[in-house]
Structure formats: structure tokens, C-alpha cells
Amino acid sequence: KRDEARFGARLDVDEMTVAVANREVTLASSATPLSLLAVRGVLDGAEVKMYLTDLTDPGGGRTTHSVWKIQAAEADRAQVTLRLESVLADFQSMTPRRTWQEQCTWALCSQWCTLSRGAYSVYGQVHGSGTTTEHLQFTVSSVGVSVPATVPGSWFDLGQARFTSGAVAGLRRTIRVQSASVVASTGEVGGLDLLTALPVTPASGNAFDLVPGCNKTLDTCEVKFGNTLNHGGFPYIPRPETQYGV
């Protein structure tokens, strides 16, 4: 059930609350309680569409009425409550197009960064022993052309893991820290700690790809990626304490 959808002609953001019965949903090939997905934050930012249907003509199809985003999700044993906001809320951000700061403002491998995701990706499989929803044990099967044969420790810090098979296929997680260096050619087992836990533990053999992290500094851009020309920051801009003599 849901409460009444409120639409305004002013600059206020439309809001709505939806309550959904707690039931199991299929995530890839695994049945997972909806309440668990809500608590783990999997539903945050998800898109919700509302449709108009002619009940006198069930076969007549449906028309999209509005599009919403989940801003918050709460769960108990009986139901999951979703707080929705119109997608127009994205236009309320007052962030300027460019920010004049020391760190790079580009996303790694974006069109402004210009680096190729495939060239810096590492492909591997989950190693079952020691793997949990928050820690990933893995072996490397292949690496991109720009990745060193020995992947150094901390190479993946702040990077991203994208799962491509198994119960967590399609999910992405930010990598908090890489435990040690990994030699791709030897099948050595490496370890990663994830910033946000997965809804279920990946099975041994599940495939994934990893993209290294970037801390947005000029030194990292030069030494790790050799991409100084496209660095999106302003490393020589005076810091506030320098500007004001603090």
C-alpha cells in the first residue's frame, strides 16, 4: 500500500511513502528477504515507477505515470517501508559544474579522465575459503594491458568490485582496502575488504572484475596511471590556511 502521492507546481520535491509486505525476492539465483535488502542499503537510490492502468481493460497495457527514487528504507518482520522522492530532487543540488580544488574531480575511467576501464581491470574468481559478505578472497585469472603482473598491495584501495556471475551477479561494491600484493600468473590468493557488505556470501568460483582505486591526487595520477595531462584537479591552488594566513 502507499499513501497519497503529492504533486506540486512549485519547487517543492514530491514525496510518497510505500509499504511493501516483507517477502523473499530473487536476487540473481538466490532468494533473499526484502527486509534484508532494505537493512543492507541495497534498495537505497533504486528507481520506482508508478503506472496508470485501465481496470476496465486489463489487456490494454499501462502508461508510466511518474518516476521516483528510494531515499530511505525501513524494515520490520511484517513489511518494508520505503520513503520515495521524485527524481526531480536531483536538480536541487547546488553543486557547481566545476569545483576549484586540489583533488581531481573526474571519476576514474570517465570520458574526462580518458583512461580505459578494460585496460586497468583485473578479472578473477572468488576463492571460497575465508570469503564472507564483507571480505573477499580471490584468485586472478587475467589482467588488463595496463595492470602490472604483480598487483601491488593497496592497488585496489577505494576501487570497485563488480560481480558478473553467481547469486551476487550485477552488484558492485567499493573496496575499502586490499590486504596484500597478488601475482596474477601464479594463482596466488588475495584478499579485499568491502566498504558495504553483500546481501549474501559469494560462492567459490563466482566471477568478478576489479577496478583500481584513485585518491584523486596528482601524484597518484602520475605514478599509478601516467595520466597527468588529464588530471582534473588544481594542485597548486592556495589552501585556505595559506590564503588567509592561518
Side-chain angles (χ1 to χ4, degrees):
K1 64 179 182 178
R2 64 172 176 83
D3 59 9
E4 182 179 357
R6 182 177 62 83
F7 299 95
R10 299 178 300 174
L11 296 179
D12 298 338
V13 176
D14 303 325
E15 299 177 348
M16 181 171 62
T17 300
V18 176
V20 183
N22 187 20
R23 64 186 66 183
E24 288 190 339
V25 295
T26 301
L27 183 66
S29 58
S30 177
T32 306
L34 190 61
S35 57
L36 180 60
L37 298 180
V39 171
R40 291 280 176 83
V42 177
L43 302 179
D44 294 352
E47 184 178 271
V48 177
K49 289 185 178 180
M50 184 188 297
Y51 297 96
L52 291 177
T53 302
D54 186 355
L55 298 180
T56 63
D57 182 19
R62 60 186 183 180
T63 303
T64 301
H65 176 271
S66 53
V67 182
W68 307 76
K69 275 191 174 182
I70 298 176
Q71 297 300 319
E74 299 178 352
D76 55 34
R77 292 184 178 181
Q79 66 180 23
V80 175
T81 303
L82 307 175
R83 184 172 64 83
L84 311 181
E85 285 186 350
S86 167
V87 292
L88 296 177
D90 293 343
F91 295 101
Q92 285 196 329
S93 174
M94 300 300 292
T95 304
R97 183 175 182 181
R98 289 300 307 273
T99 302
W100 302 89
Q101 62 182 34
E102 184 177 351
Q103 290 77 22
C104 179
T105 56
W106 307 139
L108 185 66
C109 300
S110 67
Q111 59 178 318
W112 299 283
C113 173
T114 74
L115 294 179
S116 167
R117 181 185 178 98
Y120 282 92
S121 290
V122 172
Y123 304 90
Q125 295 180 333
V126 173
H127 188 274
S129 177
T131 293
T132 66
T133 57
E134 296 180 329
H135 179 76
L136 181 66
Q137 293 284 100
F138 69 96
T139 56
V140 177
S141 56
S142 64
V143 298
V145 296
S146 299
V147 179
T150 299
V151 182
S154 76
W155 178 266
F156 294 116
D157 292 2
L158 304 180
Q160 185 184 82
R162 179 177 63 180
F163 296 88
T164 55
S165 71
V168 291
L171 295 184
R172 304 185 185 203
R173 287 294 185 269
T174 298
I175 299 167
R176 185 172 65 83
V177 64
Q178 175 187 349
S179 57
S181 61
V182 179
V183 181
S185 60
T186 63
E188 182 180 0
V189 177
L192 302 170
D193 289 334
L194 305 179
L195 185 63
T196 306
L198 293 164
V200 294
T201 301
S204 181
N206 286 171
F208 61 85
D209 61 69
L210 305 172
V211 175
C214 178
N215 62 7
K216 309 300 183 181
T217 65
L218 182 61
D219 286 344
T220 296
C221 193
E222 178 180 3
V223 176
K224 188 173 183 177
F225 300 107
N227 196 36
T228 308
L229 184 63
N230 296 300
H231 181 72
F234 303 90
Y236 304 111
I237 192 170
R239 297 183 177 183
E241 57 268 28
T242 304
Q243 294 175 343
Y244 300 106
V246 176

